[in-house]
């Protein structure tokens, strides 16, 4: 083989090419890790209501590391999404030294029992709010179903100028709610929206005008409902006879 000049020439070319590739690779590694390509500008956009500039600045200063090429996009995104009110963070490099971050916030529509909030997408997130939000109680995994119920029940109750204060969903998928006037409604399973519409129909013209405090209304009857009024006392037989 050592007397074969063609083979030797081919081997030399291969070694030269390998050396050149290694040199190019080393140069690429050096360039991507070089301080010559730092991230000089970080632009953070989005509509902020709950997320504060101080929180965003802290993440930018303490959680971001690396050069323009080596900065971990997924890690950076995750750092911003750890903030309680951040629903999503989009991170994008812009040549030669700019990092563009776009923040989307959660919009809370309810509280989840005594822990956390529920977003309009039906996602639980751990944050605090001083808003007067309805409170939801339901099985794990029912968050989206209950948010959809709020969207369904809200317009129906609005016809009677009422709102949901608390809403329950049992394991058997039976519904119960407390209104903002303190009245409890037992809705059960099945045609819940129709039962609620029947209540709204009778509330302003008869139930709300009664001279007794209404505590509880059971709407699970097919053609009516039962009302609990703690202050109500039926007239005695003697009184009824005099009348």
């Amino acid at each position: 083989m050592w007397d074969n000049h063609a083979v030797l020439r081919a081997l030399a070319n291969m070694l030269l090419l390998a050396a050149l590739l290694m040199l190019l690779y080393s140069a690429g590694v050096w360039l991507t890790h070089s301080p010559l390509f730092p991230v000089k500008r970080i632009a953070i956009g989005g509509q902020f209501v709950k997320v504060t500039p101080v929180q965003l600045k802290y993440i930018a200063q303490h959680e971001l590391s690396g050069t323009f090429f080596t900065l971990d996009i997924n890690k950076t995104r995750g750092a911003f999404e750890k903030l309680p009110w951040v629903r999503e963070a989009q991170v994008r490099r812009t040549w030669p030294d700019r990092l563009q971050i776009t923040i989307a916030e959660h919009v809370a529509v309810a509280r989840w029992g005594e822990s956390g909030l529920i977003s309009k997408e039906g996602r639980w997130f751990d944050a605090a709010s001083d808003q007067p939000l309805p409170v939801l109680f339901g099985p794990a995994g029912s968050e989206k179903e209950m948010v959809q119920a709020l969207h369904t029940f809200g317009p129906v109750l609005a016809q009677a100028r009422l709102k949901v204060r608390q809403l329950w969903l049992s394991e058997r998928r039976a519904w119960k709610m407390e209104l903002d006037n303190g009245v409890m409604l037992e809705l059960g399973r099945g045609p819940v929206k129709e039962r609620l519409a029947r209540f709204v129909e009778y509330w302003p013209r008869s139930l709300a005008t009664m001279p007794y405090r209404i505590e509880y209304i059971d709407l699970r009857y097919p053609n009516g409902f039962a009302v609990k009024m703690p202050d109500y006392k039926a007239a005695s037989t003697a009184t009824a006879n005099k009348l």
Side-chain angles (χ1 to χ4, degrees):
M1 180 183 74
W2 303 112
D3 295 331
N4 191 326
H5 296 288
V7 173
L8 291 175
R9 190 163 44 251
L11 181 61
N13 290 336
M14 289 178 61
L15 292 174
L16 180 62
L17 178 61
L20 181 60
L21 290 175
M22 291 182 62
L23 180 62
L24 291 174
Y25 175 78
S26 299
V29 171
W30 181 84
L31 283 172
T32 56
H33 291 78
S34 170
L36 296 175
F37 298 96
V39 175
K40 294 182 179 180
R41 296 181 295 168
I42 299 176
I44 302 178
Q47 295 183 346
F48 310 132
V49 177
K50 299 294 185 179
V51 180
T52 67
V54 173
Q55 291 175 313
L56 297 173
K57 183 178 179 181
Y58 180 88
I59 297 295
Q61 291 179 341
H62 295 84
E63 297 290 339
L64 275 61
S65 61
T67 68
F68 179 81
F69 295 104
T70 63
L71 184 137
D72 190 324
I73 294 294
N74 291 329
K75 184 179 178 181
T76 301
R77 183 188 303 114
F80 283 97
E81 289 179 352
K82 288 180 182 178
L83 293 174
W85 282 93
V86 174
R87 174 173 59 86
E88 181 184 25
Q90 296 181 351
V91 182
R92 182 168 56 90
R93 296 185 182 93
T94 303
W95 178 261
D97 56 10
R98 180 185 176 94
L99 196 65
Q100 179 68 46
I101 301 170
T102 305
I103 301 294
E105 284 190 341
H106 287 294
V107 177
V109 296
R111 302 182 189 279
W112 187 253
E114 298 179 355
S115 61
L117 302 171
I118 300 294
S119 72
K120 65 179 183 180
E121 294 84 14
R123 289 173 54 185
W124 179 91
F125 63 102
D126 189 10
S129 174
D130 56 1
Q131 295 175 263
L133 299 171
V135 186
L136 308 181
F137 300 89
S142 65
E143 294 88 347
K144 287 187 178 180
E145 183 180 359
M146 298 196 75
V147 167
Q148 182 57 51
L150 279 180
H151 293 329
T152 300
F153 299 156
V156 178
L157 291 169
Q159 299 175 47
R161 298 183 180 180
L162 295 171
K163 295 180 181 179
V164 177
R165 178 182 292 168
Q166 298 188 81
L167 182 64
W168 290 265
L169 176 63
S170 72
E171 294 284 353
R172 298 177 62 250
R173 280 346 194 223
W175 295 91
K176 181 172 69 173
M177 73 171 64
E178 179 189 6
L179 302 176
D180 58 345
N181 60 3
V183 175
M184 296 289 296
L185 301 182
E186 191 73 58
L187 295 162
R189 298 182 296 171
V192 174
K193 185 178 179 180
E194 289 77 0
R195 292 170 185 166
L196 194 62
R198 187 169 70 240
F199 160 76
V200 168
E201 178 184 355
Y202 283 95
W203 174 258
R205 71 186 191 189
S206 58
L207 294 171
T209 62
M210 298 183 71
Y212 305 102
R213 180 177 65 88
I214 297 177
E215 182 178 273
Y216 172 89
I217 301 177
D218 191 341
L219 296 163
R220 292 174 293 178
Y221 296 88
N223 298 310
F225 43 81
V227 182
K228 181 179 179 181
M229 298 177 289
D231 302 330
Y232 174 77
K233 293 182 180 180
S236 65
T237 303
T239 303
N241 290 335
K242 290 180 181 179
L243 296 174

